[in-house]
Amino acid sequence: MKKLLIFIICLIAVVLNYSCISKDDFTGEFKMSEELPVFTSTPSGLKAQEKYNKYGVIFKPSFPFSEFSWNWNTILTSGEPGTTGFRYTPADLNFAAEVMDSVDKWVFQIFPLDFIKDKMPIKILMADTLANRFTLSSAIVSRIWEGNVTDNYTIIGYASSRFTTAKKTRFLIQSWLSLFVEKMVSSERISIPGAFLALSATGYAKASFTNAEDVVTLYGLLNKSRKKQNTGSATAAWYQTYPAQDFGDFVAFTVYVPEAEKLTYYAKNSMIKTKVDLVKGYFLDNFGITLPYIPR
């Protein structure tokens, strides 16, 4: 009887240990068994191999639909042209290498190499267009996303000729840095300080924002949801802004927004400066990282 009791206790411990492992991009032996990358000898394949060798991440400019759609307890969809709902289109491999180098420069190089190797989730899918689509007066209205995070991967758009123009905008640079920080938070590689969360708790609790709401002044948020508006109307409400996105937004704000522009945000709501200081302090105190200032 005593031996049976010991066995049950050990079994429970094993189950609890497994349940505490993040479902995303397993670490240690799980990370190695998640998938073994095979790289092609094409320019995009060689560039992906270069990033894998340096950072341990896998850029995938092409992937089967089954890899995109499976999200643990959810099956994701991608509707056909002319339909509503989410849709992605495949990346143009001719632009994939440049996009990988840009993610490296805009996101990975903001942090020390060892931090990225340890904290950056492994799988990065690449697409051309990511969009949520709605019907308005018999026409299809698209809300373009810069990227998205799921349990299993990060996915970015603009891997096509559209990148030629988009790469010149600070908006895309900030969006991608925010997105990858959001992914590190959602996969529990890094955390958000409690004081940061408390400041904008009222904003996080809102299920949506009206198009007219000034989230900076009212809630100390920098942006509404990266998933944009929730119908096709120009005055439609915006989806909820979650803490992980907000934390990523503040990292990108700290790094890339010129100081003169920052002052306009501070003047609207003093919480913005407080949250910037909390973000800086978090990375310095926990990882010895001083976030750089690279105004664009």
Side-chain angles (χ1 to χ4, degrees):
M1 185 67 180
K2 183 177 180 180
K3 290 182 178 180
L4 178 60
L5 180 60
I6 293 173
F7 172 79
I8 293 173
I9 293 173
C10 291
L11 180 61
I12 292 173
V14 169
V15 171
L16 289 174
N17 182 55
Y18 273 65
S19 67
C20 291
I21 297 172
S22 172
K23 293 184 291 186
D24 169 75
D25 305 329
F26 300 124
T27 56
E29 63 177 305
F30 295 98
K31 182 173 181 178
M32 293 304 296
S33 65
E34 198 268 345
E35 62 180 297
L36 296 175
V38 176
F39 301 103
T40 66
S41 58
T42 62
S44 61
L46 293 173
K47 183 62 68 174
Q49 185 170 27
E50 172 191 316
K51 303 307 180 188
Y52 178 75
N53 291 342
K54 183 176 182 180
Y55 298 110
V57 300
I58 305 172
F59 280 96
K60 290 197 166 186
S62 58
F63 49 87
F65 180 75
S66 58
E67 187 168 8
F68 160 83
S69 64
W70 187 72
N71 189 36
W72 289 95
N73 297 320
T74 306
I75 298 299
L76 304 179
T77 61
S78 179
E80 295 300 317
T83 63
T84 57
F86 184 79
R87 177 170 172 76
Y88 80 89
T89 55
D92 183 336
L93 299 185
N94 294 312
F95 293 87
E98 183 184 9
V99 170
M100 291 181 224
D101 277 338
S102 296
V103 172
D104 190 341
K105 180 181 179 181
W106 299 343
V107 180
F108 296 171
Q109 292 180 31
I110 297 304
F111 306 97
L113 175 62
D114 288 345
F115 179 86
I116 292 297
K117 292 172 70 173
D118 183 50
K119 305 298 183 184
M120 186 61 64
I122 188 171
K123 190 186 299 185
I124 304 166
L125 305 187
M126 302 172 66
D128 168 18
T129 300
L130 303 172
N132 202 11
R133 301 162 302 159
F134 304 92
T135 300
L136 181 68
S137 300
S138 301
I140 298 294
V141 175
S142 296
R143 307 293 187 196
I144 304 298
W145 297 1
E146 288 65 52
N148 192 32
V149 295
T150 75
D151 285 337
N152 300 324
Y153 56 76
T154 310
I155 186 169
I156 55 175
Y158 290 91
S160 68
S161 60
R162 297 188 308 117
F163 189 67
T164 303
T165 300
K167 67 182 180 182
K168 301 173 185 176
T169 67
R170 193 180 79 206
F171 176 72
L172 185 63
I173 297 171
Q174 283 186 243
S175 294
W176 280 359
L177 177 53
S178 175
L179 185 77
F180 281 97
V181 172
E182 177 183 349
K183 178 58 175 171
M184 286 190 278
V185 172
S186 66
S187 58
E188 300 179 356
R189 306 297 177 88
I190 63 175
S191 58
I192 304 176
F196 182 97
L197 292 170
L199 285 168
S200 295
T202 302
Y204 302 144
K206 286 181 64 68
S208 65
F209 298 106
T210 68
N211 190 56
E213 277 185 285
D214 182 345
V215 296
V216 176
T217 300
L218 295 175
Y219 309 109
L221 304 175
L222 289 174
N223 300 299
K224 295 172 185 175
S225 175
R226 60 174 173 74
K227 293 186 177 182
K228 312 296 174 67
Q229 291 166 283
N230 58 19
T231 75
S233 169
T235 58
W238 290 64
Y239 286 105
Q240 185 172 5
T241 297
Y242 291 99
Q245 177 199 318
D246 189 41
F247 190 71
D249 287 345
F250 269 88
V251 172
F253 180 83
T254 299
V255 174
Y256 286 122
V257 174
E259 198 61 31
E261 188 175 333
K262 284 189 173 83
L263 292 176
T264 64
Y265 283 80
Y266 301 159
K268 293 178 71 172
N269 191 329
S270 61
M271 283 198 298
I272 302 297
K273 179 63 166 63
T274 302
K275 290 171 75 174
V276 166
D277 291 339
L278 286 168
V279 166
K280 289 179 177 178
Y282 171 77
F283 282 96
L284 184 60
D285 295 344
N286 290 276
F287 307 107
I289 296 173
T290 299
L291 289 177
Y293 173 52
I294 312 172
R296 304 287 299 200

